[in-house]
Amino acid sequence: YWRVALGQEWNDKWATHIFYYGYNVDVPGGDNIKPNEIGAGIQYKMNDYTTMGLNYIHADRDEDVDTDKDNIIRFRTKVAF
């Protein structure tokens, strides 16, 4: 598993990021698969305790099968206390 990511904080409230994940999975008795994900997102910090994020992710679960590609939109809210 490896990850490359770049992030930019625009001010104390807004930040953006892009990332790429790469995996190498050894399947016992089978072929190795190499899924990967690429994505981008934006975050908004409401206050010191609450952050909201919106991400787009393109996931290729197995490079040999064309139907295993997913487009994911993820909305997250992080609350720290």
Side-chain angles (χ1 to χ4, degrees):
Y1 163 78
W2 54 276
R3 177 182 189 225
V4 176
L6 298 171
Q8 173 69 49
E9 290 187 19
W10 299 100
N11 55 38
D12 60 342
K13 297 284 184 183
W14 292 96
T16 55
H17 61 274
I18 58 174
F19 61 88
Y20 180 84
Y21 291 105
Y23 305 87
N24 188 0
V25 181
D26 294 329
V27 179
D31 294 330
N32 294 343
I33 58 173
K34 296 180 181 179
N36 60 63
E37 298 178 4
I38 189 168
I42 187 167
Q43 291 179 310
Y44 176 71
K45 184 176 181 181
M46 294 178 66
N47 53 45
D48 290 339
Y49 308 104
T50 308
T51 304
M52 295 159 83
L54 183 63
N55 296 304
Y56 166 77
I57 302 163
H58 176 78
D60 184 358
R61 304 294 182 207
D62 185 352
E63 64 186 18
D64 296 330
V65 181
D66 195 36
T67 58
D68 287 343
K69 294 180 179 160
D70 296 315
N71 294 301
I72 303 163
I73 295 178
R74 182 184 316 162
F75 176 75
R76 290 184 172 177
T77 302
K78 177 183 171 184
V79 178
F81 51 93

